[in-house]
């Protein structure tokens, strides 16, 4: 597996614009007009007389507030993208209808080829079918190819109880931005879920930011027994899950920061779950953060050792709400999750074996959601369902519970769950705890930033152009320094800085012992924007800090060098 990354290039290419602008508008379903073809028929039939695709750069555009019935599964061996028209209306709603034989259509789409690109922008995928049923272990989209690039931007995946996006191939690069997974619940099994699932094959890149998982049973992210080269998970909100949030133990380079985890693992941990290793491979207590040593054969295949792995775990917040804590307390065999169990904590404490593992500025605190009524209803329903699951005979913790916990149905059992309300019933999950409003790694609030468009616009991924929150720092200090790019890096990296006034500037690099190892800038500079390169080819792998000093003030950031 490669050990250097071009994240900025990947991000730029992930946009739907990478497919060009050959747009085909597709009208929504209309049962009074037989001339309007179902969506899948339009896509599958978009070919020439010879059977070739009309355009390799085709973009299919759907109408906001429109409903698109899925009457057959699309099998695609070509790249394409699916986007919505501009506006503030509900994203185009894709719903599972029936085949001519009366069977529910699942999955919606299967993508078969290697080296393809797929983009989905502002689309809503609905798992509840036209019979108002939610089938267990349902899947929306399946990707079988290797080396694919898949982007989800502003999408909503509603009610998918089994691998809503499933990746069977290897070396894929996947990007989720401003995505919402919601109501991923079922009465018969606490582990249904696995919203983002990868088979046991090595993967390339996964970037997830400003997303929300709202009200779920099982896994949100699942990848085991193989390596993930580069993963960024930051500024996401994970609101109430019954069991495991993610299994991502074998990341080579992982940035997990500025996330909010609330009411996760509501079912709890108990002697049977530890004995049967529900949550951890070694039966240790349940923890929010689960990483593990990688098999020697897996590391050797990638030309790596454990010392080459880097995990940056910073500026996250977590909390167990009172209703779920009461569920734990009512059963003396139950415990809630810890932040790290002894094994994981031991890995972060072992600087000799894991020199690039960093965990800091992670806090346990109640975020205090602005929508208190929503929070009370959701946590109480989840605690009640967890108690019902636990009241089954020992070892049989999946049986029917009396509450579906679908938040759209909270106003009455007769509500039509097929047409998802817009705006979404749960609103924006705004938090009010003052200490968390600037607790992110970038000075922004912890969790999904979409509740405040101004703050969302300031967010920048590692290496992404723009300064975002740096503008505020520069206004108050007269200068700013940006996060180096790439980071982590294996040879050299670039550091950007800005001056609002002319000044004598020094930029220095320090190792973990606070010893200065390089001076990159030491001179008078006029006001403006600058960048400087650090060639670290002769330096040992590890964590370094770089510091800018000007006008008697200083600002410091961290970076990771991997070999």
């Amino acid at each position: 597996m490669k050990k250097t990354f071009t994240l900025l290039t990947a991000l730029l290419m992930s946009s739907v614009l990478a497919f060009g602008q050959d747009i085909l508008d597709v009208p929504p379903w209309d049962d009074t007009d037989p001339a309007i073809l179902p969506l899948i028929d339009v896509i599958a039939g978009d070919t020439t007389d010879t059977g070739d695709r009309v355009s390799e750069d085709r973009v299919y555009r759907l109408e906001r507030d429109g409903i698109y019935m899925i009457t057959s599964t699309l099998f695609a061996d070509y790249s394409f993208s699916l986007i919505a028209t501009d506006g503030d209306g509900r994203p185009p709603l894709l719903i599972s209808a029936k085949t001519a034989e009366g069977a529910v259509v699942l999955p919606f789409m299967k993508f078969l080829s290697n080296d393809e690109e797929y983009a989905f922008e502002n689309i809503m995928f609905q798992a509840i079918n036209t019979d108002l049923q939610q089938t267990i272990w349902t899947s929306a989209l399946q990707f079988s190819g290797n080396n694919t690039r898949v982007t989800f931007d502003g999408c909503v995946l509603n009610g998918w109880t089994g691998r809503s996006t499933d990746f069977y191939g290897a070396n894929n690069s996947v990007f989720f931005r401003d995505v919402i997974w919601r109501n991923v619940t079922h009465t018969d099994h606490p582990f249904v879920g696995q919203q983002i699932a990868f088979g046991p094959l090595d993967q390339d890149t996964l970037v997830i930011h400003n997303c929300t998982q709202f009200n779920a049973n099982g896994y949100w992210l699942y990848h085991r027994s193989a390596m993930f080269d580069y993963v960024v998970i930051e500024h996401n909100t994970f609101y109430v899950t019954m069991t495991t949030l993610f299994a991502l133990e074998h990341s080579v380079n992982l940035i997990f920061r500025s996330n909010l985890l609330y009411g996760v693992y509501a079912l709890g941990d108990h002697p049977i779950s530890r004995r049967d290793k529900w949550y951890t491979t070694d039966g240790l207590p349940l923890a929010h953060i689960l990483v593990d040593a990688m098999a020697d054969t897996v590391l050797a295949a990638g030309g790596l050792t454990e010392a080459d792995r880097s995990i940056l775990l910073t500026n996250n917040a977590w909390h167990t709400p009172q209703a779920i804590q009461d569920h734990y307390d009512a059963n003396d065999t139950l415990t809630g999750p810890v932040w790290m169990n002894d094994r994981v904590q031991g890995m972060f404490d072992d600087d000799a074996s894991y020199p690039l593992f960093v965990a800091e500025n992670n806090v346990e605190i109640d975020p205090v959601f602005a929508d208190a009524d929503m929070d009370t209803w959701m946590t109480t329903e989840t605690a009640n369902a967890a108690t019902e699951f636990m009241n089954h005979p020992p070892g049989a913790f999946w049986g029917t519970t009396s509450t579906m916990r679908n938040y759209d149905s909270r106003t009455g059992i007769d509500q039509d769950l097929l047409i998802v309300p817009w705006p979404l019933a749960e609103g924006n999950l705004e938090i009010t705890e003052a200490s968390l409003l600037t607790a992110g790694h970038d000075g922004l609030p912890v969790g999904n930033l979409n509740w405040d468009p101004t703050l969302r616009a300031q967010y920048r991924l590692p290496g992404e152009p723009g300064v975002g929150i740096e503008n505020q720092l520069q206004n108050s200090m007269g200068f700013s320094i940006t996060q180096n790019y790439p980071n982590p890096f294996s040879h050299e990296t670039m550091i950007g800085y800005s001056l609002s006034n002319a000044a004598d500037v020094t930029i220095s690099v320090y190792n973990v012992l606070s010893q200065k190892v390089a001076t990159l800038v030491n001179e008078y500079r006029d006001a403006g924007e600058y960048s400087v390169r650090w060639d670290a080819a002769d330096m040992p792998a590890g964590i370094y800090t770089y510091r800018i000093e000007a006008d008697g003030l200083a600002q410091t950031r961290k970076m990771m060098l991997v070999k």
Side-chain angles (χ1 to χ4, degrees), residues 374-441:
M374 176 278 298
D375 188 40
T376 298
W377 188 93
M378 197 69 262
T379 56
T380 300
E381 287 289 298
T382 300
N384 291 341
T387 298
E388 288 188 86
F389 277 128
M390 291 302 301
N391 284 340
H392 288 287
F397 294 109
W398 26 89
T400 301
T401 59
S402 61
T403 172
M404 186 68 177
R405 305 191 342 265
N406 188 312
Y407 189 59
D408 292 342
S409 69
R410 76 195 187 286
T411 58
I413 192 65
D414 295 328
Q415 179 171 330
D416 183 356
L417 299 181
L418 184 64
I419 308 304
V420 178
W422 190 261
L424 297 177
E426 64 270 21
N428 54 28
L429 297 181
E430 177 184 356
I431 63 175
T432 65
E433 166 54 42
S435 65
L436 294 182
L437 299 182
T438 56
H441 69 279

Side-chain angles (χ1 to χ4, degrees), residues 17 27 41 56 152 159 168 233 245 269 281 333 351 354 360 402 427 430 444 453 473-474 493 516 556:
L17 296 179
D41 291 351
E56 294 181 358
F152 290 86
Y168 295 105
I233 301 174
L245 181 61
D269 200 9
T281 57
T333 67
D351 292 337
Y354 300 96
E360 59 187 21
S402 61
E430 177 184 356
L444 297 170
L473 295 172
Q474 181 172 341
T493 190
K516 184 186 294 187
T556 300

Side-chain angles (χ1 to χ4, degrees), residues 172-194:
N172 298 291
S173 296
V174 185
F175 304 85
F176 291 91
R177 177 173 62 187
D178 306 314
V179 171
I180 298 174
W181 298 267
R182 62 191 303 270
N183 293 327
V184 187
T185 65
H186 203 278
T187 59
D188 294 345
H189 201 304
F191 276 90
V192 295
Q194 299 182 21

Side-chain angles (χ1 to χ4, degrees), residues 53-79:
R53 302 300 300 168
V54 170
S55 172
E56 294 181 358
D57 299 322
R58 182 70 90 191
V59 176
Y60 298 97
R61 184 165 60 188
L62 313 184
E63 292 183 17
R64 285 186 178 272
D65 294 316
I67 295 175
Y68 291 80
M69 291 296 182
I70 306 299
T71 56
S72 60
T73 297
L74 173 69
F75 295 86
D77 59 358
Y78 43 84
S79 296

